[in-house]
Amino acid sequence: MTTDEVLAIFREAGAYLEGHFILTSGLRSPVFLQKARVFMHAGPTERLCRAMAEAISERIEGPIDYVVGPAVGGIIPAYETSRHLSVPAVWVERENGVFRLRRFEIPRGARVVVVEDIVTTGLSIRETVTCLKELGADVLAASCIIDRSAGKADVGVPLVALAEYEVPAYSPDALPPELAAIEPVKPGSRSL
């Protein structure tokens, strides 16, 4: 699946938004990819995650034991991708501000892939990788539907991105005038 095909799915779902957005990272952007509008439809979600599973399979040698998604955004793509990889899906969630595998156990040495929705800075994946390594997991790679950094984000492990789409992101104190003139909105899932 190409970047243009991925973005077409987002546009068809009304998930490609333009304006002034406060991203989960705290950065500001004129574009927001509202993946929830895609994930509410099983067909497009299945197509994206099947393609992501295929990309993961092409890059990872040997078996995968688990797919792990960071809550909230990674739960649906992790589950759907795991279905195509025929492995269990689990998720980490924040407990006192730190990702923990609260509802599940995985054995030491388990071979895992982290699956996320969209990467901007890579923070959620890095925090997930840290949690999993503390549990003794072998984190093989991470994967995402869209890498907004176009390969610049450091996630701590190899990143398999279905699409790379660099969207400008600015510090709140370094906004271009056209963006500063628009009232910002925060549609993401994590509070600042």
Side-chain angles (χ1 to χ4, degrees), residues 2-12 16 33 146 163 165:
T2 68
T3 295
D4 287 341
E5 290 170 325
V6 171
L7 293 175
I9 289 172
F10 273 72
R11 285 186 175 97
E12 289 166 14
Y16 187 98
L33 301 165
I146 299 175
Y165 181 61

Side-chain angles (χ1 to χ4, degrees), residues 6-137:
V6 171
L7 293 175
I9 289 172
F10 273 72
R11 285 186 175 97
E12 289 166 14
Y16 187 98
L17 309 177
E18 295 179 283
H20 180 177
F21 302 99
I22 302 171
L23 304 176
T24 299
S25 64
L27 297 174
R28 307 293 181 89
S29 179
V31 173
F32 188 79
L33 301 165
Q34 182 54 281
K35 67 273 180 180
R37 292 187 182 176
V38 174
F39 295 159
M40 65 189 280
H41 302 284
T45 301
E46 188 276 335
R47 285 195 308 275
L48 290 168
C49 294
R50 179 175 11 101
M52 197 159 45
E54 290 167 359
I56 291 167
S57 294
E58 290 171 6
R59 293 272 305 272
I60 301 299
E61 291 188 27
I64 297 168
D65 299 317
Y66 293 89
V67 168
V68 181
V72 166
I75 293 175
I76 291 172
Y79 171 80
E80 186 62 22
T81 302
S82 76
R83 189 170 72 84
H84 292 285
L85 292 171
S86 300
V87 300
V90 298
W91 62 87
V92 295
E93 54 196 304
R94 293 192 188 281
E95 185 174 71
N96 299 320
V98 178
F99 272 139
R100 297 284 179 238
L101 196 63
R102 292 184 46 223
R103 301 168 198 261
F104 311 96
E105 299 83 31
I106 58 173
R108 293 189 70 75
R111 294 170 50 91
V112 302
V113 173
V114 176
V115 170
E116 177 66 298
D117 50 11
I118 296 173
V119 168
T120 300
T121 65
L123 178 62
S124 291
I125 292 176
R126 285 191 307 274
E127 291 177 337
T128 302
V129 168
T130 297
C131 170
L132 294 169
K133 286 184 175 182
E134 287 173 358
L135 295 171

